[in-house]
Amino acid sequence: MSFWEIPGMKAGVLTGDLAWSLVEHELNRPAVIQFSEGGSAFIAGKSLPNEQGVNQASILGAVAGAHFVRAVAPAYGIPVLVNTGYCGKQLLPWFDGMLESDEAYFKQYGETLFSMHSLDFSQEPDAENIELCKTYFKRMSSVNQILEMGIGMTSGSSIFKVYQGLSPISEKFTIAAACKAGSVVKPEMPLATIVQGYELLLCLESGLHSVRQPVALRLKDMQAHAREQIKARHATAGCLHFTSSRMDEAWAFQEFPTEAATGKDIQKPLSFVPNLKLVSSKVGFEAAEFSAVAAQLFATVPDMLSNCPVVGSGFEKEKITGLQKFYKAQDGSPQAEDKYYGRISLPPNLPADVLAELKETATKLCAPGKGFLAADESAGPWLRAGHAEAAKIPDVIENRAAYRSMCFSTPGLSEYISGVILHWETLFQDDADGKSMVDIITGNGMIPGIKVDKAYDKKGMWGTEVGPLGHPEVSTKGLDDLQERCAQAYKKGARFAKWRNVLQLDPKKGLPSKLAIMDTVHTLARYASICQSERLVPIVEPEIVPNGDHDIEYCRKMTEIVLAAQFKAMADHHIYLEGAVLKPNMVKNGLKGPKADAETIAKLTVQTLLRTVPVAMPGIFFLSGETALNEDNEEEATVNLSTMHKLYPKLPWHLSFSYGKALQKTCIVTWLGKPENKAAAQKALKARSNANTDAVFGKYVKGSCPSVGTDGNVLQAAGPY
């Protein structure tokens, strides 16, 4: 029987009743991904606190890992169980944090984040062990979650006590025990109560069964032996279980009485459950009965999550060899372990003082409630404001300097704005009184940043489809001399940078293409690495433009794919995440597509970010994007951001704004190029900035900030800027 024959079976992460049906089901098992406490901390990063009683890194790492598996597993077309490694009494704060995440996820989506959790209080007295597990199991059962309880080396009577304690709460539990030879288990325990051993697996049938000594079996013989056993003894009372503490040791299995020995007609097929236990508890992925497809999936997961290893049956010899190399690199010694983790935790060749400066800058940019003023347009920003009257302002260098100096000198603007993104012209520009723009910005308490991409050519990439923007898919220019320009920008006073790559959506044409996605994420990762080498914090902006008639679901799907690929590329390019920030699009419908409300936009946007953005990334700053002509761009952007924070008050990163026209439109229309309107224009800019700070705290009241609304709306200037 295949697990696909189970009613309701589906690809992706399973929880509740469906997950339990797989735990009970023993042939052709799905993949199981298991996060250990140490491995989870590794995922989150060494810079987060993880001392006993806090376990912030372990909690965030496990939660982020679970979201990642949820994001990618469906694409591989297999059922997956997400489990956590055995948690002892000293690690209960870690368990508490994950369980709280499960309860919050259940409240939001009707299922838990993790499929199951494992508790191991075997170092405690039996009575205390059982009582502790009962306390946690009651919480878990309220959200229909599975518990695996470890009780260590024990006897059959102890197993039965555990069964008696847990079974009144729920049937969804398993017992992990290493039984001594000769142990006898009472017949009252049903077969559904699966007892998994650290070195043996005891699967019970009614009647008395004794545990025999294990038989040595080499790794290379596992599959063949299992097939022989299945063929020879289809009906058996027990299971086979293979474990190993080191790759070079023999694998052990346990036999149980057959029909011939018991005289009973036992209709229970052989179970084959490979289970690898790594020497180092730093990495906690466990695989059970891998199919070829599952092997592909979880060969990818480690690469995405800092090269954590994974193994299971069906792996090629090379994969096993690769794992052995990883194994030997650690060798159980702290020195080897630090060397290994240090190699992939931080970018090579960047001195400690550079990393410290990058992190300090990023932290300042992510100050509570604050966002970015995007003032990096190559032309006058009034041309991109999408307003008929504003478009009449002459686009000359004097007007651009006058407008921008007015904005940057707005009294009190730094209460809401942490950084200002400049165009190259503006970085080296002075106002009418001869004061540099950089000095105006820093003097007003903000950090100058610089746009360093050179836009794109509308001719696009050869052979790609024409998208909703009216041209083929594009590749942003500027990498050729980026190193030199970053050095110049830093010397002038810039402390962060921005680079924008554009992707178009068209489900009928399959846009964005894989080519465009790969070009985008590689280019942005390469840019980010160059910036960090010159002490500039990179804003990574893979913008999916809203032009088109697609629905919000297609935008969600493609945004998730793009962001997952983006962080894979950033890992490949050794990007120091703690010294970088992300500027993504919100998940929205196409301008001509079916309109989604603010709550739907908020839910799908945050869901996508939780599935793809590592917790080590300190900040996410949304671009506002184009809106339909009957929509107020400023108000829409503020309301969407505020709705996210109302629905999700606790997020692992600073979730804020990096708006251009959504901060400046009313300011521009108020100013209209007239010096006498300066004070009123500054007031408008400060008011909208304040509104977005309120949004970051989830407190913005729709309509409470004055705006020019939709009167005079025209199609904004499209394309590169």
Side-chain angles (χ1 to χ4, degrees), residues 206-228:
S206 58
L208 298 178
H209 299 304
S210 63
V211 181
R212 300 177 180 178
Q213 293 291 340
V215 180
L217 184 67
R218 299 300 301 176
L219 174 62
K220 64 182 179 181
D221 298 324
M222 279 199 307
Q223 291 280 32
H225 181 85
R227 282 194 294 270
E228 278 182 24

Side-chain angles (χ1 to χ4, degrees), residues 701-718:
V701 177
K702 186 175 182 179
S704 61
C705 181
S707 72
V708 294
T710 59
D711 291 342
N713 271 6
V714 293
L715 191 65
Q716 73 160 55

Side-chain angles (χ1 to χ4, degrees), residues 3-12 14 18-19 21-22 30 78-80:
F3 52 66
W4 289 116
E5 298 176 44
I6 297 175
M9 187 53 56
K10 63 179 182 179
L14 305 182
L18 207 51
S21 69
L22 283 176
I78 56 169
V80 177

Side-chain angles (χ1 to χ4, degrees), residues 523-567:
T523 301
L524 284 166
R526 183 78 185 98
Y527 136 81
S529 68
I530 294 172
C531 284
Q532 289 193 332
S533 74
E534 297 294 343
R535 299 176 179 264
L536 294 176
V537 170
I539 298 176
V540 177
E541 183 179 358
E543 178 181 359
I544 297 178
V545 295
N547 305 72
D549 58 4
H550 55 274
D551 62 13
I552 191 172
E553 177 57 28
Y554 188 70
C555 181
R556 179 209 61 78
K557 174 183 175 182
M558 299 316 300
T559 302
E560 198 167 297
I561 289 172
V562 169
L563 290 180
Q566 184 64 72
F567 282 96

